[in-house]
Amino acid sequence: MGGEDLDNILVSHFANEFKRKTGSDMTVNQRALRRLRTSCEKAKRALSSGIQASIELDTLFEGKDFGSTITRARFEELCAEDFRKCLKIVIKVLQDANIDKKDIDEVVLVGGSSRIPKIVELLEGFFQGKKVNKSINPDEAVAYGAAVQAGILSGNIKKGDAADQILLLDVIPLNMGIETQGGAMAVVLPRNTTIPTSQKKIFSTSRDDQTFVDIKVYEGERPNVRDNNLLGKFTLNGIPPAKRAVPQIEVKFDVDANGILSVAAEELTSKQKGQITITSDKGRLSAEDVAKMLQDAEKFAARDKELLEITDWMNSIENFAFNVKNTISEGTVSENLEAADKEALGKLAVELLAWVESNPKTQMSLDDVKAKRKEAESVYNPIITKVYNKIGHTVDPEYAKQQQEQQQQQEQQQQQGGGQEQGPQ
């Protein structure tokens, strides 16, 4: 929250009052708005120490004068929502740092708006009566912090300097990752990771004999890439043909002290490489966009959680279909399958893959997806149990079902980042 946000609220309030009194809409005149904004800023500052402030403007618009007063109580009512945003940020910071508010030693306010009594009152109430520390000049602190950071980045701070004992940490404002199977967002750099940083993760192919993958880099808080911001993309070619999930593709994210992101991908067998560099001003979100994305993530959290679960189940159905194809094409089970059963399983695999392709996950319900998986297992399990009995391995149907459920859970864990991910499309 900045002081300009509060100025905008006052400008809107007085512009509406001017229209009520005179019947004229002064917002169409930029000069009149600038004059009113200057007066509103002065009134806001006056309300930090007084209980009432006045505005007097001669010939504000169309030759009409404007005068009005506003009390501190009215100002606090108009800005109540913005003041409450301050507490939301404090709560989020504590959650990200995994710290309870009772563990906070000092609450230090920085910035001009921290002089507003209501903000101080809200914070002291949130921290159960702990008084805020007002020993630091709220304006100088901002400039001082920027100067210290500049000194750290340029290497001009020497050992023994006063600023040598100060540690400023810059962090990543949003999750960063790549698109994986089903349009899911696989996070490589979690939000609030301290920079500079370097992290890597192993992915694999999602199709048999896939010789290239598209690496699409995103930032955002939502589990599906369509709701996040695309930063850039590149193609990794020359992957040796192999069955799906066999190739090992290492994706590495590097962020330097200037916030420049470099993403590299390497197929570990062939040593084929590809990379992209994304600067801070290339497709990156503004501070306002970041704030909006965090709000959207909170607003749609319930639906996102459901969509993520739907994606996991649909991916498990696709994986299940490929496993069925492998089962009927090679191995002991394939050799002992009756022709009719092999045909039935082949048909099942084709139908499942077609179903996944023709049903966007955003249009599916979780119950429908679970029912589809159960329907597929009702065809598969009896046939496989019969084959196991035939070759001398007695398999109880319930045991077979449990094995399927365990396999499904493992597949879901992979999709959620619990190991090698089947990913880039």
Side-chain angles (χ1 to χ4, degrees):
M1 181 187 67
E4 188 176 351
D5 298 312
L6 306 181
D7 295 343
N8 290 338
I9 292 173
L10 289 179
V11 168
S12 177
H13 168 72
F14 286 119
N16 290 334
E17 184 177 335
F18 181 85
K19 188 174 183 179
R20 283 197 313 271
K21 290 180 176 180
T22 65
S24 300
D25 183 8
M26 59 154 291
T27 59
V28 298
N29 187 292
Q30 292 301 314
R31 182 175 180 275
L33 277 176
R34 280 198 303 273
R35 292 182 63 199
L36 179 59
R37 183 178 298 278
T38 300
S39 295
C40 286
E41 185 178 2
K42 291 178 180 178
K44 179 191 68 177
R45 292 181 178 180
L47 290 172
S48 293
S49 55
I51 61 173
Q52 183 173 297
S54 300
I55 286 181
E56 297 290 340
L57 292 166
D58 297 331
T59 61
L60 177 61
F61 180 61
E62 294 180 345
K64 299 171 183 176
D65 299 337
F66 178 65
S68 184
T69 60
I70 185 170
T71 63
R72 181 189 290 177
R74 179 63 172 155
F75 170 68
E76 291 174 352
E77 180 186 357
L78 290 172
C79 302
E81 183 58 34
D82 281 60
F83 292 159
R84 282 194 289 270
K85 287 180 183 177
C86 175
L87 290 185
K88 291 180 181 178
I89 294 172
V90 172
I91 292 170
K92 188 64 179 171
V93 168
L94 292 174
Q95 289 174 344
D96 289 342
N98 197 26
I99 294 175
D100 192 88
K101 60 184 178 182
K102 70 177 185 299
D103 299 323
I104 299 298
D105 299 313
E106 294 285 350
V107 180
V108 182
L109 298 182
V110 170
S113 295
S114 65
R115 294 187 176 93
I116 297 173
K118 187 63 176 180
I119 292 179
V120 175
E121 178 187 327
L122 287 172
L123 284 170
E124 289 182 344
F126 177 79
F127 285 100
Q128 300 173 338
K130 182 187 291 291
K131 296 296 182 182
V132 300
N133 188 328
K134 298 180 181 179
S135 63
I136 297 176
N137 185 304
D139 299 315
E140 292 178 0
V142 178
Y144 191 91
V148 171
Q149 181 72 347
I152 292 173
L153 293 176
S154 63
N156 289 332
I157 295 180
K158 300 180 179 59
K159 194 168 184 63
D161 289 348
D164 182 46
Q165 301 301 315
I166 298 176
L167 176 63
L168 295 179
L169 300 178
D170 201 359
V171 298
I172 296 169
L174 295 169
N175 291 334
M176 289 184 179
I178 67 172
E179 179 180 1
T180 59
Q181 186 180 14
M185 170 86 161
V187 177
V188 178
L189 290 181
R191 181 168 69 93
N192 287 327
T193 299
T194 304
I195 62 174
T197 185
S198 177
Q199 295 190 31
K200 56 190 176 182
K201 204 169 187 179
I202 299 294
F203 296 87
S204 191
T205 52
S206 57
R207 295 287 184 272
D208 290 342
D209 300 323
Q210 192 172 337
T211 59
F212 71 93
V213 292
D214 291 327
I215 308 291
K216 297 179 181 178
V217 183
Y218 288 84
E219 65 175 347
E221 295 298 298
R222 309 285 293 279
N224 295 292
V225 294
R226 65 185 179 83
D227 299 314
N228 294 330
N229 180 46
L230 177 64
L231 294 176
K233 58 183 179 179
F234 64 95
T235 301
L236 176 64
N237 293 298
I239 299 174
K243 286 191 175 295
R244 61 191 297 274
V246 171
Q248 299 272 294
I249 301 170
E250 182 183 85
V251 177
K252 185 178 182 182
F253 277 52
D254 285 297
V255 182
D256 66 13
N258 296 312
I260 297 176
L261 168 65
S262 297
V263 180
E266 178 183 1
E267 202 286 312
L268 298 180
T269 302
S270 64
K271 301 301 180 182
Q272 292 291 326
K273 298 180 180 179
Q275 66 177 36
I276 188 173
T277 299
I278 301 164
T279 60
S280 299
D281 57 353
K282 181 181 177 183
R284 304 297 288 275
L285 296 173
S286 65
E288 292 78 12
D289 293 331
V290 170
K292 183 180 184 302
M293 188 161 283
L294 291 172
Q295 290 172 3
D296 287 344
E298 183 177 348
K299 179 179 178 182
F300 300 109
R303 177 55 179 163
D304 284 346
K305 182 179 179 181
E306 183 183 31
L307 276 177
L308 185 60
E309 196 169 352
I310 289 172
T311 299
D312 290 340
W313 276 88
M314 292 193 75
N315 287 345
S316 77
I317 291 174
E318 186 177 33
N319 292 336
F320 180 81
F322 280 114
N323 289 336
V324 172
K325 288 181 68 176
N326 292 335
T327 298
I328 63 177
S329 63
E330 59 186 29
T332 305
V333 173
S334 174
E335 295 170 358
N336 288 274
L337 275 171
E338 296 177 4
D341 290 339
K342 183 175 288 190
E343 182 180 350
L345 291 179
K347 183 180 179 182
L348 173 65
V350 171
E351 288 179 351
L352 288 177
L353 292 174
W355 183 85
V356 171
E357 289 290 334
S358 60
N359 288 282
K361 60 180 180 293
T362 54
Q363 299 176 11
M364 300 298 295
S365 72
L366 187 57
D367 290 339
D368 289 340
V369 180
K370 288 182 177 180
K372 191 64 179 179
R373 172 74 189 223
K374 188 174 182 180
E375 176 188 330
E377 290 176 352
S378 68
V379 175
Y380 176 82
N381 287 346
I383 294 175
I384 295 303
T385 301
K386 182 170 67 174
V387 172
Y388 283 160
N389 289 334
K390 178 181 177 182
I391 61 179
H393 299 287
T394 303
V395 179
D396 181 73
E398 185 61 30
Y399 173 76
K401 182 179 180 181
Q402 291 174 1
Q403 292 295 98
Q404 288 294 325
E405 290 175 349
Q406 289 178 4
Q407 180 183 358
Q408 177 184 332
Q409 290 174 358
Q410 291 172 356
E411 292 167 354
Q412 290 178 351
Q413 289 172 357
Q414 287 182 340
Q415 293 301 324
Q416 294 168 357
Q420 175 178 301
E421 300 199 33
Q422 295 173 6
Q425 301 296 309

